Amino acid sequence: MSETLENLYSETRTFPPPAELAANANVTAEAYREAEEDRLGFWAQQALRLSWAKPWEQVLDWSNAPFAKWFVGGELNIAYNCVDRHVEAGHGDKVAIHWEGEPGDTRAITYADLLTSVSQAANTLTELGVTAGDRVAIYLPMIPEAAVAMLACARIGALHSVVFGGFSVDALATRIQDADAKLVITADGGYRRGKPSALKPTVDEAVAQCPSIEHVLVVRRTGEDIAWGEKDLWWHETVEQASDKHEARAFDSEHPLFILYTSGTTGKPKGILHTTGGFLTQVSYTHHAVFDLKPESDVYWCTADIGWVTGHSYIVYGPLSNGATQVMYEGTPDTPHRGRFWEIVDKYKVSILYTAPTLIRTMMKWGDDIPAKYDLSSLRILGSVGEPINPEAWMWYREHVGHDNAPIVDTWWQTETGAMMISPLPGVTASKPGSAMTPLPGVSADVVNDEAESVPDGGGGFLVLREPWPSMLRGIWGDEQRFKDTYWSRFGKGAGAGDEWVYFAGDGAKRDEDGALWLLGRVDDVMLVSGHNISTTEVESALVSHPSVAEAAVVGATDPTTGQAIVAFTIPRGNVDTSGDAGEQLIQDLRNHVAKKLGPIAKPRQIMLVAELPKTRSGKIMRRLLKDVAENRSLGDVTTLQDSAVMDLISSGMQAGKSED
Ligand code: 6R9
């Protein structure tokens, strides 16, 4: 990418917060002013929302940059903050988790229940020889034991490394080996798409390659037959029989909390390391501020999987530290029917919903009539995370889910940032559809050119973070050099330019005429067409703005005339006729539609109509694989792909219909 990224799309709609919400918001515009005047003082104030066993002496130690220390000298226990203190405050009977299994079985878990289970699990882990600093791999479905296991590790100072249930033997084994984990916590299986889906056989195969594993702790979920080895222990025969008395001892603010592997687009997965005090401070504050959480009345639901950072920060640590009541759902959105999500919102009167653009676009594809069948009036705030949300998907979310008045918070952040960084505040910000708007109080994000200079309003470039933040990653497990190279060597001091350390997020972005930020996707995906740097996001959003399109993925394929040419893979909405001539006509209409919205430079060379797109388990489109298809190469690494059959379908379609002009 050369100096800047083209800014092709312009958006004029804005939606101010509803007056009543603004009047009662947890956080007002004052927070931006306070943080602006005294950033460290602001974060120290937020840290006081937690319960510390020993106060800190220094808010930030940045002398060993890019390795940060936050709340230096302070001590706290994370599980105590997420569980015990709510029980001590008299909220033991309050529901922490309304769990909904895919087959329709349910459990209501109070904070007192959670304290019992976490204490029992902490005692069991200790009996199994797990001590502070040890690593524990967690490979579980979306069942309450996943949260219990994470909190039990945190309680005794062991690091958890959660691996998506559904990752392959190899993916699990390499993560166990890299972290040198002692224990795996898993289940016989979970329910997905209406049937039991086994997990234990994958663990058995992985553990056979991992001599570091001493024990495998197995939750019984499906009751299916499984093989049983000498390292295996049932959860119900150990944890559920253990003493429920466990004293939570305090750990240093910089004590490691967890490792979470992120694959990025290429290469060996990186074990992103997070620590205790700063992480909890920022997840807790952002959950309170961005969702305006009122713990006494709100019902919160984050649809993420626990194996994604969103599940760590915004199912476990953020909501529980704030004493929230939340919904946790085991299964898929279309089991047993496509209204399942809305049925759950209606049933539990969910008031805050946090989901991903991929789900919103899927719901768009399935049709407006489905959410219309349910009472969604309890919803008062809607969140989005994981990818840029196309303006049209944003509008659909607002109209069909948020009854035209619930504010949408589009939250930009990463596994590496640990917590939200750029997002509207629901009681303050007048939001634009598709924009994450502005950095949160205490966060300094910028859009820069190659020389790390801020681009003017209306310009595009690289998204960077100029100041350290409490929940920032503390490194890559076992690889200091890779940490510096990946995030700190592109701009600023680490690049030999100036005195300031500048974090490069790997994303492209633009700042519009009003100073609002628009995320434009990974810079690796930027297309270079006849000398113009065009973001995949803008072309995808232009396609999704056509009434016949639900979802689109765009890649730059090598082209003899233009360097790269735009190739689009497009999912039509449910009711659209794509057979024969109608399909050909639609493709021409779409090409013209993009040219009209963004200018002729962005007109796709080729458009494929497809039924599905390749996605990761967290719902991100894997453009790299589509590029392989568009350039007629054999497919690269597919280990993080959610459904491998999708690629066969797309490749065969690509061979059949090469429509260009
Ligand atoms: C939380 C999470 C991080 C990458 C990030 C960016 C993309 C996440 C986004 C977004 C635009 C948003 N991303 N949220 N892009 N708007 N609101 O997703 O973490 O899985 O590590 O992914 O996801 O590209 O760099 P992670």
Side-chain angles (χ1 to χ4, degrees):
M1 188 162 95
S2 70
E3 277 201 0
T4 52
L5 198 50
E6 302 284 327
N7 173 7
L8 301 175
Y9 181 88
S10 83
E11 175 61 66
T12 50
R13 297 168 284 193
T14 61
F15 298 89
E20 202 196 309
L21 198 150
N24 299 301
N26 287 351
V27 176
T28 65
E30 186 55 25
Y32 294 105
R33 272 189 291 277
E34 284 171 15
E36 188 68 44
E37 273 165 28
D38 178 6
R39 195 172 57 90
L40 296 184
F42 170 83
W43 283 120
Q45 193 66 37
Q46 307 322 321
L48 290 174
R49 303 179 67 256
L50 307 177
S51 171
W52 294 77
K54 182 167 166 251
W56 61 86
E57 285 136 27
Q58 190 186 354
V59 177
L60 168 67
D61 176 359
W62 192 226
S63 60
N64 188 31
F67 296 91
K69 288 190 176 142
W70 281 85
F71 308 112
V72 185
E75 289 182 6
L76 73 168
N77 185 287
I78 291 238
Y80 175 83
N81 272 278
C82 291
V83 186
D84 308 43
R85 66 171 176 153
H86 306 310
V87 177
E88 286 173 12
H91 304 307
D93 292 339
K94 186 179 170 178
V95 174
I97 300 175
H98 285 293
W99 180 76
E100 173 97 6
E102 198 190 71
D105 50 336
T106 61
R107 286 161 69 185
I109 295 161
T110 65
Y111 275 94
D113 296 335
L114 203 53
L115 178 57
T116 301
S117 303
V118 172
S119 301
Q120 289 181 314
N123 282 323
T124 303
L125 294 184
T126 305
E127 271 167 44
L128 294 176
V130 178
T131 58
D134 285 346
R135 276 80 56 204
V136 173
I138 298 180
Y139 186 74
L140 282 170
M142 285 294 287
I143 55 177
E145 284 79 2
V148 171
M150 289 163 76
L151 289 165
C153 289
R155 193 175 184 92
I156 63 169
L159 290 74
H160 53 71
S161 161
V162 183
V163 180
F164 261 122
F167 269 4
S168 64
V169 171
D170 274 357
L172 178 59
T174 44
R175 285 160 177 76
I176 291 174
Q177 287 158 359
D178 187 74
D180 205 16
K182 250 187 172 172
L183 178 83
V184 191
I185 305 180
T186 187
D188 48 1
Y191 287 91
R192 277 192 86 74
R193 301 190 198 287
K195 44 182 197 301
S197 157
L199 288 176
K200 177 73 168 35
T202 307
V203 175
D204 291 344
E205 265 192 73
V207 167
Q209 309 167 30
C210 300
S212 65
I213 294 296
E214 293 169 11
H215 300 283
V216 179
L217 195 50
V218 188
V219 178
R220 188 161 64 194
R221 165 64 183 134
T222 62
E224 300 237 295
D225 279 346
I226 50 172
W228 203 249
E230 57 189 25
K231 293 181 176 177
D232 300 341
L233 297 162
W234 281 115
W235 177 279
H236 60 269
E237 289 176 357
T238 52
V239 176
E240 287 173 19
Q241 311 305 322
S243 157
D244 61 1
K245 300 280 173 288
H246 184 274
E247 180 98 29
R249 99 164 151 88
F251 290 95
D252 189 90
S253 178
E254 282 301 329
H255 187 81
L257 175 63
F258 67 82
I259 305 171
L260 182 59
Y261 287 86
T262 147
S263 51
T265 41
T266 46
K268 173 173 174 257
K270 303 185 281 277
I272 304 300
L273 176 68
H274 282 287
T275 62
T276 300
F279 175 81
L280 196 66
T281 296
Q282 194 170 336
V283 295
S284 186
Y285 171 69
T286 50
H287 184 262
H288 159 85
V290 172
F291 294 126
D292 190 42
L293 179 90
K294 312 284 195 238
E296 25 346 295
S297 53
D298 275 318
V299 178
Y300 166 82
W301 181 23
C302 169
T303 68
D305 190 280
I306 212 94
W308 182 20
V309 69
T310 306
H312 287 53
S313 302
Y314 298 106
I315 293 178
V316 179
Y317 296 112
L320 296 176
S321 67
N322 288 330
T325 293
Q326 69 177 317
V327 172
M328 180 176 183
Y329 172 55
E330 179 185 33
T332 43
D334 52 354
T335 307
H337 57 79
R338 291 177 164 182
R340 186 71 188 268
F341 267 31
W342 313 124
E343 188 179 70
I344 291 174
V345 168
D346 191 345
K347 173 175 174 185
Y348 294 100
K349 301 293 165 227
V350 172
S351 56
I352 304 169
L353 178 68
Y354 194 27
T355 193
T358 179
L359 265 157
I360 299 162
R361 292 186 300 249
T362 301
M363 303 291 184
M364 251 167 86
K365 175 174 76 179
W366 289 345
D368 309 349
D369 52 317
I370 298 177
K373 285 187 211 141
Y374 300 90
D375 178 6
L376 306 182
S377 61
S378 54
L379 286 170
R380 65 179 198 94
I381 290 177
L382 305 177
S384 174
V385 59
E387 285 186 300
I389 174 165
N390 322 93
E392 237 29 67
W394 195 103
M395 289 303 296
W396 187 91
Y397 196 21
R398 181 178 162 95
E399 214 175 295
H400 297 280
V401 181
H403 30 83
D404 257 328
N405 100 313
I408 296 177
V409 286
D410 173 14
T411 62
W412 178 88
W413 57 292
Q414 308 178 296
T415 306
E416 292 86 341
T417 70
M420 297 166 182
M421 301 293 281
I422 306 174
S423 168
L425 284 177
V428 180
T429 316
S431 296
K432 303 185 184 192
S435 170
M437 301 304 294
T438 54
L440 286 166
V443 171
S444 67
D446 198 0
V447 182
V448 301
N449 63 15
D450 262 332
E451 274 72 55
E453 299 155 345
S454 299
V455 301
D457 286 355
F462 305 96
L463 182 73
V464 298
L465 302 168
R466 291 194 178 278
E467 301 283 356
W469 61 100
S471 62
M472 67 195 292
L473 75 166
R474 300 302 198 263
I476 293 176
W477 184 256
D479 203 341
E480 269 192 23
Q481 196 54 45
R482 193 173 179 202
F483 169 64
K484 289 183 183 158
D485 292 347
T486 310
Y487 306 107
W488 303 98
S489 66
R490 181 73 178 75
F491 299 108
K493 190 164 177 180
D499 295 330
E500 305 298 332
W501 288 90
V502 177
Y503 173 89
F504 176 41
D507 282 346
K510 69 182 187 189
R511 192 180 1 239
D512 72 14
E513 306 300 338
D514 304 321
L517 298 175
W518 296 75
L519 276 303
L520 296 180
R522 305 293 296 167
V523 293
D524 301 342
D525 292 335
V526 168
M527 305 173 288
L528 186 57
V529 183
S530 305
H532 296 265
N533 286 305
I534 299 177
S535 95
T536 51
T537 303
E538 292 207 307
V539 181
E540 287 163 5
S541 288
L543 285 162
V544 175
S545 76
H546 190 280
S548 298
V549 175
E551 188 152 26
V554 160
V555 297
T558 313
D559 184 273
T561 14
T562 55
Q564 284 190 322
I566 300 175
V567 177
F569 298 80
T570 302
I571 304 182
R573 292 212 196 187
N575 53 353
V576 175
D577 178 13
T578 57
S579 56
D581 287 352
E584 279 308 312
Q585 188 56 47
L586 176 60
I587 288 172
Q588 294 315 323
D589 288 353
L590 291 177
R591 295 181 65 228
N592 294 331
H593 176 77
V594 174
K596 194 162 148 232
K597 278 240 130 165
L598 304 180
I601 186 71
K603 187 175 186 171
R605 178 185 78 186
Q606 194 177 352
I607 293 183
M608 300 268 308
L609 301 178
V610 296
E612 265 309 332
L613 291 169
K615 288 178 188 158
T616 64
R617 293 276 299 191
S618 67
K620 293 191 212 301
I621 297 172
M622 294 178 77
R623 290 181 192 74
R624 180 173 53 79
L625 296 181
L626 294 172
K627 205 170 147 120
D628 289 344
V629 172
E631 294 182 341
N632 292 316
R633 261 194 313 278
S634 58
L635 290 187
D637 181 14
V638 292
T639 46
T640 53
L641 189 64
Q642 181 171 23
D643 175 4
S644 51
V646 168
M647 284 318 296
D648 300 338
L649 274 174
I650 295 175
S651 314
S652 57
M654 185 85 184
Q655 299 312 326
K658 296 218 170 233
S659 70
E660 320 179 3
D661 70 20

